Amino acid sequence: MSLLTHVLACLFGMGSWVAINGMWVELPLVVSALPEGWLLPSYLTVIIQMANVGPLFVTLMHRFRPGALDERPVVYCVVALGAVATFLLAAFWKRTVTFGAGAGGVERSVPLLALSFLLSVVDCTSSVTFLPFMMRLGPQFLTSYFAGEGLSGLVPALVALIQGVGLVECRNVTAAAAAAAAAAAGGVANGTFGNSTTMKAFYQPANFSAEAFFVFLGAMMVVCLGAFALLNHHPAVVRERKDHRYLGEEESAAAARRDKREGLSLRGAAPEERPMMIDPLEPPPRERRSSFGMGTYSGGEVAFIFVVLAWVNALTNAVLPSVQSYSCLPYGNRAYHFAATLAAAANPVACFIAMFSSRRSLMLMLVLTVVGTGFGAYIMAVAAFSPCPPLVGSDSGVAIIVISWVLFVLTLSYVKVIIGVILRDEGHSALVWCGAVVQLGSMIGAISMFPLVSVYGLFKSGDPCNTKCLN
């Protein structure tokens, strides 16, 4: 029965970010049909940060009205909203609205942008509702949840690969034809005009439509909703939640009041009858080192944990993903797809490792954060040198950039799991703050990178069909 709970926790976690992750991997197919073109990722970045009003509201409710907000109705609402919005996206993503009359009218993809905002609210709010709900289950199921959260990026990426999104065919064309094609697309072609030939990238047609892909994402949200319902009501899962140590703070308090009404007291009850309101591993109140959570860590250690959490999520959720194409495409389309797919797979692998070895060591957390940041620094340096980074055009360059992406995601994903396990032991409110800091770090990273990438254009795209750099 524990296996069933592990599977349900994993499926529940998959619904956390599957919609927005799916939107990102589908962009190469979507942008060609929409008036915004490749400006659409910039708009999505801003929309995702605006959606942090959801987690902000939940966090403020927990801060100023503790116990007034039950996560379960909120989770039901946001997951159902995500499923409906994703199915609507499948029907209306191509629709546009024209602002202005006559030839001066400007087309904008209002339905897609509005539905993307709703999906962003759903996914951002999951950070401060899904994790606290996991307090109601045993700590061993938290790593399964994190594995599912990692799969929320891997599964859409694998489906997009099957779909053939972003697969490029390099063809010989004359420079004049390449220039005409680039001008028609609003870009500039490289090379000399005349009868000389150059390699040009042509995106291959997808094996199935974007509508079918969005329907798949909607089905994933329905699966998440079903898994959540079973985690609440399946008899096998309910039996595992009988121990009060695994209940949320509100349920534990309610259990204590119920026991008191029944005439049971902590002093009068036999040891085996006492409600397990206090974790046996919790230090006595006089030995507590801070007022945070269970008092296991000092104030400085708590600050260190949250700073690392914000830093790691800023890197993995915003800073490095914004330059992934710049760091990989100079080495070719194959390097880009290998890096994107294997890095997405590294996240659930890190969670799988943590299921068997999740050491709650702050020193290990620091070391892994430094190592992961080092790989991230190399990736950022490669992106800064794009389109002519080191070892461009060589197999060793491809291998190094792919391995760097995999190890970057693997190490920092393991750090996130360690922090999640630590904060789970500190109680319900600690996991609420965990989700809030995750969103805060991601927002700071996105706000920092947006002007560098989209406004000042400090990064230059590589050409998957022309990796030769001329000095």
Side-chain angles (χ1 to χ4, degrees), residues 79-340:
V79 177
L81 175 63
V84 172
T86 311
F87 286 123
L88 290 176
L89 193 63
F92 298 107
W93 73 272
K94 279 187 178 180
R95 303 289 181 90
T96 59
V97 176
T98 302
F99 294 91
V106 179
E107 281 190 311
R108 287 290 178 261
S109 307
V110 174
L112 181 137
L113 295 175
L115 292 170
S116 297
F117 175 75
L118 291 180
L119 292 176
S120 300
V121 170
V122 170
D123 289 1
C124 291
T125 307
S126 72
S127 296
V128 291
T129 53
F130 285 25
L131 269 176
F133 169 77
M134 293 303 296
M135 273 294 298
R136 303 173 187 273
L137 303 176
Q140 68 271 26
F141 301 114
L142 188 62
T143 50
S144 298
Y145 168 83
F146 279 118
E149 195 174 75
L151 289 173
S152 71
L154 176 62
V155 172
L158 292 177
V159 174
L161 281 179
I162 297 171
Q163 184 185 16
V165 168
L167 294 182
V168 172
E169 180 183 356
C170 299
R171 302 176 188 170
N172 278 318
V173 296
T174 64
V188 179
N190 296 324
T192 335
F193 291 96
N195 293 323
S196 60
T197 61
T198 184
M199 298 296 291
K200 180 172 175 56
F202 289 88
Y203 285 98
Q204 298 179 10
N207 295 322
F208 52 87
S209 65
E211 288 85 354
F213 183 83
F214 290 136
V215 168
F216 165 76
L217 293 182
M220 293 290 295
M221 296 300 296
V222 172
V223 169
C224 171
L225 184 62
F228 180 67
L230 290 175
L231 286 174
N232 278 285
H233 303 294
H234 194 283
V237 181
V238 172
R239 282 196 296 270
E240 292 177 359
R241 292 167 48 195
K242 290 297 184 182
D243 192 332
H244 294 172
R245 288 174 296 179
Y246 298 155
L247 295 178
E249 291 172 356
E250 294 86 353
E251 286 191 351
S252 295
R257 290 192 295 269
R258 184 176 63 251
D259 289 344
K260 188 174 182 180
R261 286 196 303 268
E262 293 173 357
L264 296 176
S265 67
L266 289 174
R267 289 186 179 181
E272 63 272 12
E273 296 174 345
R274 296 175 187 173
M276 297 296 291
M277 294 292 298
I278 301 176
D279 194 310
L281 299 179
E282 178 189 356
R286 65 178 179 274
E287 297 179 10
R288 292 184 179 181
R289 303 170 62 190
S290 76
S291 59
F292 177 82
M294 306 299 290
T296 310
Y297 298 94
S298 66
E301 289 171 334
V302 171
F304 167 75
I305 290 171
F306 280 123
V307 167
V308 169
L309 182 63
W311 173 257
V312 166
N313 280 278
L315 293 183
T316 57
N317 296 346
V319 175
L320 271 301
S322 65
V323 299
Q324 186 170 41
S325 60
Y326 301 104
S327 66
C328 297
L329 277 181
Y331 298 100
N333 194 59
R334 180 184 60 170
Y336 177 79
H337 279 283
F338 272 127

Side-chain angles (χ1 to χ4, degrees), residues 351-402:
C351 298
F352 182 77
I353 294 172
M355 291 181 70
F356 300 96
S357 175
S358 57
R359 294 183 57 194
R360 306 170 194 187
S361 167
L362 300 187
M363 181 56 67
L364 176 62
M365 184 193 307
L366 175 62
V367 171
L368 290 178
T369 302
V370 171
V371 171
T373 302
F375 287 115
Y378 174 77
I379 294 169
M380 183 64 72
V382 169
F385 280 109
S386 177
C388 295
L391 301 176
V392 66
S394 67
D395 290 338
S396 57
V398 173
I400 291 174
I401 193 62
V402 171

